[in-house]
Amino acid sequence: MIDQEYWQTLDGINLSVPSCLDRGEVLRQLDSVLNPELDQSILGLGFVKSVECNEFHLTVELELPTYWCAANFSYLMAIDARRNLLQVPGVDDVTVRLGDHFAAKAIEDGVNSAKPFSDSFPDEAWDNLEQLRDLFLRKGYIGRQEKFLRQLINAGLSYEEISGLRSGDVVVDGESFWIHRDGAEAVQVGPASVAWRYFQRREELGLDCSPTGALIRDLRDQSVPAEILETYFAHSRTARVSAEATGTLCSVLLQARQAASRIA
């Protein structure tokens, strides 16, 4: 029986985790679970309400922005949270709770029994969640690439210069990333996290990450030539703005829901 608990509130998260478990690892595993539509961490979005432990069995409660959040997105986040937390050393089992959600029981029963989505929702159009996950990984790649491109442009690089860059020209130094080209002065570009997230998703999608490969590549793994790069960037920016608007709406709805629950 665990008799020593660690209580902490982190950005509204109620944690009850024994000292024998790595609390930082618990949070890191949750932080790597993404809202598939927004390509943002459920931890950063405030979707994690609580994490409790009893006899090395973790129970995580998620709180989504609305009662009607799509079942397939909710299932993806829930099953990823369970899968990730099972990677924490010392954790024997994980139960995910969704609270006030129209499909909470079906999602909880399926996720906590490690069943495929199609078993719980046989009539859903997206019966294969891996296909849906891949679709949003690709959509998220465009958003990450747009942020990366924007940093290059803001640093004063022309579309012609950008199209000629190779992945090996990017150097991360501390909290920033730089462009180092032979015979040219190094250019400090932007936050290291922007470059890291861009290359991380490229690798996840199996796109060329070799040092000699073109720095800007489309989803067909082809380089983007200078003559169309400006148009490509404009289309990517439109997708990013749309995703950010959706994220803002989700945040507002979740805050309203949490405020209502505190009043109740």
Side-chain angles (χ1 to χ4, degrees):
M1 187 74 177
I2 300 171
D3 57 9
Q4 184 178 6
E5 291 184 326
Y6 173 73
W7 287 90
Q8 178 183 354
T9 300
L10 176 66
D11 293 333
I13 304 170
N14 295 318
L15 296 174
S16 176
V17 180
S19 58
C20 56
L21 293 181
D22 186 338
R23 298 182 287 267
E25 183 62 17
V26 169
L27 294 176
R28 281 190 290 273
Q29 290 292 347
L30 287 172
D31 192 49
S32 64
V33 177
L34 299 178
N35 175 303
E37 186 176 23
L38 304 179
D39 194 33
Q40 295 181 45
S41 161
I42 63 170
L43 198 62
L45 288 167
F47 290 2
V48 181
K49 185 175 182 179
S50 66
V51 182
E52 297 185 354
C53 184
N54 181 23
E55 293 286 0
F56 302 103
H57 181 149
L58 290 180
T59 298
V60 56
E61 182 177 1
L62 305 182
E63 184 175 36
L64 303 183
T66 74
Y67 179 81
W68 295 107
C69 283
N72 49 12
F73 292 165
S74 303
Y75 204 98
L76 264 176
M77 289 184 281
I79 204 165
D80 285 354
R82 184 173 189 271
R83 179 200 63 201
N84 283 20
L85 288 174
L86 283 170
Q87 304 304 310
V88 177
V91 171
D92 293 335
D93 200 4
V94 175
T95 297
V96 179
R97 299 296 181 205
L98 274 187
D100 190 23
H101 185 275
F102 82 97
K105 186 178 188 309
I107 292 173
E108 290 172 1
D109 289 349
V111 166
N112 296 323
S113 301
K115 294 179 180 178
F117 178 76
S118 57
D119 284 7
S120 299
F121 298 90
D123 297 326
E124 277 280 338
W126 282 100
D127 60 345
N128 187 333
L129 283 195
E130 292 311 310
Q131 291 180 356
L132 182 64
R133 187 195 304 279
D134 181 70
L135 172 67
F136 279 96
L137 284 175
R138 295 166 73 84
K139 179 180 176 182
Y141 171 74
I142 296 301
R144 295 186 185 198
Q145 186 182 61
E146 189 276 339
K147 291 180 180 179
F148 183 78
L149 261 171
R150 186 153 33 100
Q151 295 293 329
L152 295 172
I153 294 166
N154 290 344
L157 295 171
S158 68
Y159 291 110
E160 186 73 32
E161 289 173 313
I162 293 171
S163 69
L165 292 174
R166 298 291 177 259
S167 296
D169 295 327
V170 177
V171 176
V172 174
D173 184 9
E175 296 183 355
S176 301
F177 78 92
W178 299 64
I179 296 298
H180 285 253
R181 296 164 293 178
D182 291 340
E185 185 177 353
V187 178
Q188 184 174 359
V189 179
S193 59
V194 173
W196 180 83
R197 282 171 55 82
Y198 172 52
F199 282 107
Q200 177 196 42
R201 183 53 53 83
R202 270 174 67 158
E203 185 175 359
E204 289 173 347
L205 291 173
L207 304 180
D208 184 7
C209 292
S210 65
T212 57
L215 180 59
I216 304 301
R217 310 187 72 84
D218 63 22
L219 283 166
R220 299 169 301 167
D221 207 13
Q222 301 295 313
S223 61
V224 182
E227 57 268 23
I228 67 169
L229 186 54
E230 184 173 5
T231 301
Y232 181 86
F233 175 62
H235 290 163
S236 300
R237 184 171 59 236
T238 299
R240 186 261 304 169
V241 170
S242 175
E244 287 185 352
T246 302
T248 299
L249 177 61
C250 283
S251 177
V252 170
L253 291 173
L254 181 59
Q255 289 174 17
R257 190 175 204 192
Q258 291 171 341
S261 66
R262 286 194 295 269
I263 294 172

